[in-house]
Amino acid sequence: MKHPLPYRGQLAAAMLAFALSGAIHAAEPAPDTVKVGNYQVQAATLGAGNYTVILEAGFGRDLGVWRNVAPALAKSAKVMAYSRAGHGKSDPRPEAPTIAARTNELEQLVAAAGLKPPFILVGHSYGGFLVRSFATRHPEQVAGMAFVDPSDEAFNVELRKLDAAGVDKDTKLTEQFMPPKLHAELRSVQAVLDSGKLPFAGALPDVPVAVLTSVQKREQPQLFLETPAAVQVWRGLHERFFRNFSNGSHIVTAESGHNIHQEQPQLVVSAIEGVIAAAEGARVKRVREAARAELLRRVEQGGSDAEMAKALEASGFGEAAINRLGYELLGPRKQPLLAERLMKANAARHPASDNVQDSYGEVLLAAGKPLDAKLRFMRAITLAEAQGKGDRVLAGYRANLAKAEQALAR
C-alpha cells in the first residue's frame, strides 16, 4: 500500500515545484511580443546603453520574475527579459524543449528583436545552463555574465555521494508536483543532472562574471537539497565554477532562498552593474592596448615630423602616457632610437610642458647627444621657473643639466 506524503512533506514538495515552475506575470516592464518565424515570443525591452542585458529566467518561469530587476538595470543599459516558448504569453513550439532547443530560441529572438552585442547574459537557476550554452556558441558577443543561484550539472552526482536515496526522493517529489506540460523539459534537465555533463561543448569566454549563491538555512529541512550538507555542496560547486574566470565576484547570501532576484533584487542589480562596469573597464583597456600597439607600429615605421604628430594625435594618449611609453622603449625594451623618435614628437606636441622637455632631454643624453640634451634641460628649467614649480622639481632638472654638462666636458 502506498502511503501518502505527510502534509509537511507535501507542502515542501509543492514549494519546490513552485520555485521551479510558478508563473508570475510581469508588473513592469510591460511585456510585448516579438514575431520569431511562425511564433510570437513575449518579451520586454527597455532602457538604452552600450551593453544589452539579456535576462534568462529559471525553469518554468516567465519574464515576470525580473520585474524588480529590469527597471533598475535599464537606467544604464538596454535590457531584455523574455518568456521561453510555452511560458507566459509565448507560443508553444513542437520541438522537444532541450537546452539546445532553448538556446536556438534565444538566438532566433536576438536576431528578430535586432539586439546588438556586446551582451551581458544573466541566468537564474536552469537559466544559467542556457546562458552558458549561448556563450559557448557566441563567445565574441558576450562581454559579461551573471549567474543567480545557478544550477550546476554536478549537483546530483555530488549529492548522491552523501545520500542517493535522498536525491531520488527529491527527484520524485519534484516531478509529482510539477505541471504535466513541464515534464518533458524536466526529464531533459534530469538527464543532465544524472550524468553530470552538459549537452554542449566549447569554452566559456573569460569575461567579468558575478555568481550569486544562496546558503539560506532551513530550521527544519523538508527536502534533502535543503539540508546543511547539501547547501554546502551547492556553495562548493559555485565556488569551483567561479574559479573558471579571472575577473568577477562570488556573492554568498543567507538572507534569501533560491529566488535571490525576487527576495533581494538590489543585490542582483548591484552584481550585474558590477559586471557591466568591469566589462567597460576591460573594453577601455583593450582599446588602449590597440591604440598603443598602433602607435608603436607607426613609430617603428618612421616618417616625417608631421606624420609622427598625426600618430600621436590618433593614439588619443596624453603627454604623460607618451612619456611612459618612451621610457619603456628606452629601458625595458632597449629601443633608444624609437624612444628618441617618440619623445621628439611628444616634445613638439607639448612645447610648454617642462616635464616633457626634461624627459626628451634624458632620452637624448642616453642616445649620446649631450648638447641637444643640455638645451632641453635648460628649456625645462625655464618653463618650470615661469610656472612657479617647486624646488624639488627644479632640483631634478638641474641635476640632469649637470649630467649633460659633464658629458660635454669629457
Side-chain angles (χ1 to χ4, degrees):
M1 178 178 177
K2 185 176 180 181
H3 297 285
L5 284 168
Y7 172 75
R8 185 175 288 178
Q10 290 179 357
L11 179 61
M15 289 176 65
L16 174 63
F18 176 80
L20 290 172
S21 65
I24 300 178
H25 296 291
E28 59 175 333
D32 202 348
T33 57
V34 178
K35 183 75 171 176
V36 180
N38 296 322
Y39 304 97
Q40 294 290 340
V41 176
Q42 182 187 31
T45 304
L46 65 165
N50 295 328
Y51 296 89
T52 300
V53 179
I54 298 176
L55 301 172
E56 189 72 66
F59 188 88
R61 309 306 293 271
D62 68 14
L63 56 72
V65 298
W66 299 108
R67 64 182 180 273
N68 293 323
V69 171
L73 292 173
K75 295 175 183 178
S76 59
K78 185 172 185 176
V79 182
M80 186 198 72
Y82 77 106
S83 300
R84 293 186 290 272
H87 296 69
K89 296 181 180 179
S90 291
D91 292 338
R93 300 191 188 189
E95 297 87 0
T98 61
I99 290 176
R102 293 304 196 191
T103 309
N104 293 341
E105 288 179 31
L106 178 55
E107 289 176 331
Q108 293 161 11
L109 176 59
V110 166
L115 300 181
K116 303 298 182 184
F119 296 130
I120 305 294
L121 304 179
V122 181
H124 168 243
S125 192
Y126 168 64
F129 286 161
L130 305 184
V131 162
R132 290 165 64 183
S133 177
F134 184 93
T136 57
R137 292 189 189 185
H138 308 282
E140 75 289 347
Q141 297 182 10
V142 180
M145 295 180 285
F147 298 90
V148 183
D149 218 28
S151 298
D152 191 288
E153 61 272 24
F155 189 44
N156 278 9
V157 172
E158 293 301 317
L159 288 188
R160 285 184 182 282
K161 297 176 183 178
L162 301 178
D163 187 346
V167 174
D168 290 339
K169 182 179 179 181
D170 283 359
T171 299
K172 290 177 182 177
L173 288 176
T174 303
E175 185 169 357
Q176 179 180 344
F177 285 91
M178 187 70 65
K181 74 171 187 175
L182 297 177
H183 282 182
E185 189 162 17
L186 180 61
R187 286 192 292 272
S188 174
V189 176
Q190 193 61 51
V192 170
L193 297 176
D194 288 341
S195 68
K197 296 180 181 179
L198 285 167
F200 54 83
L204 288 170
D206 187 12
V207 294
V209 161
V211 177
L212 294 96
T213 302
S214 167
V215 293
Q216 189 176 62
K217 182 179 179 180
R218 302 296 179 96
E219 294 299 329
Q220 294 181 313
Q222 300 302 310
L223 298 162
F224 176 59
L225 59 80
E226 296 176 340
T227 63
V231 171
Q232 189 61 32
V233 170
W234 184 254
R235 177 174 180 168
L237 289 172
H238 284 186
E239 290 175 349
R240 185 175 73 179
F241 175 66
F242 177 67
R243 288 196 293 271
N244 291 313
F245 306 95
S246 60
N247 185 9
S249 59
H250 183 194
I251 302 162
V252 179
T253 178
E255 302 303 315
S256 58
H258 186 50
N259 295 305
I260 304 173
H261 52 315
Q262 294 179 278
E263 298 177 55
Q264 288 183 282
Q266 188 53 49
L267 186 66
V268 174
V269 169
S270 296
I272 298 170
E273 288 176 339
V275 170
I276 294 173
E280 179 61 13
R283 184 196 68 80
V284 170
K285 183 179 179 181
R286 289 193 300 271
V287 169
R288 288 183 64 85
E289 288 176 346
R292 174 188 169 96
E294 176 61 16
L295 176 58
L296 285 173
R297 184 188 69 79
R298 294 179 70 171
V299 171
E300 288 172 355
Q301 285 182 339
S304 65
D305 290 348
E307 289 172 332
M308 287 297 97
K310 288 181 180 179
L312 263 63
E313 182 70 26
S315 73
F317 293 139
E319 61 178 85
I322 298 296
N323 252 17
R324 287 193 294 271
L325 181 55
Y327 281 121
E328 181 181 326
L329 289 170
L330 182 64
R333 288 177 176 255
K334 300 187 184 305
Q335 295 175 296
L337 292 179
L338 296 186
E340 182 180 351
R341 189 179 297 162
L342 183 66
M343 290 297 209
K344 178 183 178 182
N346 203 29
R349 190 180 184 203
H350 301 283
S353 172
D354 55 295
N355 183 57
V356 169
Q357 301 302 319
D358 178 72
S359 298
Y360 183 28
E362 288 188 306
V363 171
L364 289 169
L365 189 59
K369 300 177 180 180
L371 180 57
D372 291 337
K374 177 181 177 179
L375 295 175
R376 291 295 166 176
F377 294 140
M378 291 174 65
R379 175 65 178 160
I381 293 170
T382 299
L383 289 169
E385 289 176 336
Q387 296 166 14
K389 297 293 178 70
D391 292 339
R392 185 174 180 179
V393 172
L394 285 165
Y397 296 164
R398 286 169 181 150
N400 282 339
L401 177 60
K403 292 177 184 177
E405 290 174 337
Q406 288 173 3
L408 286 168
R410 293 187 190 127

